[in-house]
Amino acid sequence: EHAERFEKEVAEANAVASEDVRAALLAAKPDLEAYLAGTKAIVDAGLAGKVSPAQVEAFDALFGKLETSLEKVGDLIEAGATATAKEKESRFAQAALLLLAVIAAAVTLIVSSAWLFARATLQRLGAEPALLREFVARIADGHLDGRFAVHPGAGSVAGGLLRMQNTLADTVRQI
C-alpha cells in the first residue's frame, strides 16, 4: 500500500512537472523501484522473523541512493519555484512601471487640459477676475475714465465693460 501511494504521488508530480524535473524523476525511477523491492523484501523477512544485519544494511544503502536521487529532484523543483517567483516579481515590477506611466500621462493630460481651460477662460474675460471687479467697482463709484493695462478683445467681458463705460460716460456728458 505504501509503495502504491508513493508511485501514485510520483506519477501526479510527473504530470505537472517541468521537463528537467520529469527527466530527474525518470532517472530516479530505478532507485525508487529498487527501494520498493528492498522494502518489500525486508518487510517480508521481518514478518517471517528472518531479518539479517546484511539485509538492513542493504536496505539502508537503497534508501540512501533513493534519497540522493530525490534530493536532485527537490533541488530542481526549488530552482523552478525560485525562477517562477522571480518571473512574477519581474512582471509585477513591469506592471507597476506601466501603471506609473499611465498615471503620469493622465496627470499631464489633466494639468494640460486645466491650463488650456484657464487660458481660454481668461481670453474670454479679457482680464483677470480681480481687475474686472475693480473696474466695475470704479464705474459704480462714478469713475468713468478707467482703462485696462492690456487692450481687451472686443468680444471679451472686459471689452464689453469698456464699451459700457464709454457709453455711460457719453450719456452722462450729454446730460
Side-chain angles (χ1 to χ4, degrees):
E1 178 184 329
H2 175 71
E4 288 174 9
R5 191 181 92 216
F6 194 75
E7 285 178 345
K8 181 181 173 190
E9 288 177 7
V10 168
E12 288 173 0
N14 200 17
V16 296
S18 64
E19 194 62 41
D20 55 343
V21 171
R22 278 195 291 273
L25 283 170
L26 187 61
K29 190 171 182 174
D31 295 337
L32 174 62
E33 290 170 350
Y35 169 76
L36 293 175
T39 301
K40 183 174 179 353
I42 202 161
V43 167
D44 289 345
L47 291 174
K50 300 179 181 177
V51 178
S52 70
Q55 283 178 308
V56 171
E57 195 174 309
F59 178 75
D60 285 343
L62 289 173
F63 180 76
K65 195 171 181 186
L66 177 62
E67 189 176 38
T68 300
S69 294
L70 292 180
E71 237 177 67
K72 291 176 186 174
V73 172
D75 290 345
L76 288 171
I77 291 171
E78 285 181 29
T82 300
T84 300
K86 284 182 180 180
E87 183 180 331
K88 284 183 181 181
E89 287 174 11
S90 174
R91 286 185 182 173
F92 179 78
Q94 288 174 346
L97 286 174
L98 179 61
L99 181 61
L100 265 152
V102 167
I103 289 171
V107 167
T108 301
L109 180 65
I110 290 168
V111 168
S112 297
S113 297
W115 181 79
L116 289 172
F117 176 76
R119 184 173 171 218
T121 302
L122 189 55
Q123 284 176 344
R124 284 187 207 121
L125 290 176
E128 292 288 335
L131 293 175
L132 293 173
R133 263 192 316 275
E134 289 174 18
F135 188 79
V136 170
R138 284 194 317 262
I139 293 172
D141 291 341
H143 303 285
L144 301 177
D145 58 350
R147 297 282 169 231
F148 289 102
V150 292
H151 184 65
S156 69
V157 172
L161 288 174
L162 276 174
R163 277 193 325 273
M164 180 190 72
Q165 174 190 299
N166 293 335
T167 303
L168 186 58
D170 288 345
T171 303
V172 168
R173 269 188 242 125
Q174 288 177 3
I175 297 178

